[in-house]
Amino acid sequence: MSEIFLHDSEQQWTDLGEGVMRKILVFNDELMLMKVRFKKGAIGALHQHPHTQISYVSAGKFRYHINGVDSILTAGDSCIIDSQLIHGCECLEEGELIDSFTPYREDFVQST
């Protein structure tokens, strides 16, 4: 579990390679918030997980693929990804996502 208050400037980015970086923000056992930065052309490979995910595009332009449906999302847009749906994205213009997961991504916490 994270602290109640989190200051963005004190958190470190994790370089995931190939133009993608992640910063875990606040979380508890039920919910997690994080930032993900993408360079233009970077790919969030197709995958699935048991968590429900909401993504908010805070900057940039992304092509999302969720459960066989594609959509272009730009700053201010969002999407919800239900548990076990196959999904991924491609960054069309350098940008940043704000992602939330329920329950929290224990695998992400263990890898930091």
Side-chain angles (χ1 to χ4, degrees):
M1 190 162 102
S2 67
E3 298 294 325
I4 294 172
F5 298 103
L6 180 133
H7 298 278
D8 184 66
S9 62
E10 297 173 1
Q11 303 310 304
Q12 300 297 313
W13 287 95
T14 299
D15 188 347
L16 303 176
E18 300 184 25
V20 182
M21 297 178 72
R22 172 174 63 216
K23 182 188 282 194
I24 295 174
L25 302 173
V26 291
F27 66 95
N28 63 20
D29 289 345
E30 298 174 11
L31 185 64
M32 173 179 268
L33 188 66
M34 61 189 292
K35 291 182 180 183
V36 188
R37 283 192 181 159
F38 288 79
K39 292 188 177 180
K40 183 178 179 177
I43 302 288
L46 290 175
H47 65 286
Q48 66 188 116
H49 46 72
H51 315 83
T52 296
Q53 174 180 345
I54 291 178
S55 292
Y56 172 81
V57 180
S58 61
K61 183 176 183 180
F62 294 83
R63 176 182 294 114
Y64 264 84
H65 177 86
I66 303 171
N67 200 35
V69 178
D70 289 347
S71 186
I72 304 294
L73 301 180
T74 60
D77 296 340
S78 58
C79 61
I80 187 164
I81 304 159
D82 286 328
S83 176
Q84 299 300 349
L85 292 184
I86 295 174
H87 63 282
C89 68
E90 175 187 2
C91 184
L92 303 175
E93 292 176 8
E94 185 169 327
E96 183 176 271
L97 304 174
I98 307 296
D99 286 343
S100 61
F101 296 92
T102 184
Y104 87 109
R105 294 292 304 258
E106 186 176 354
D107 54 329
F108 289 173
V109 174
Q110 291 175 348
S111 67
T112 58

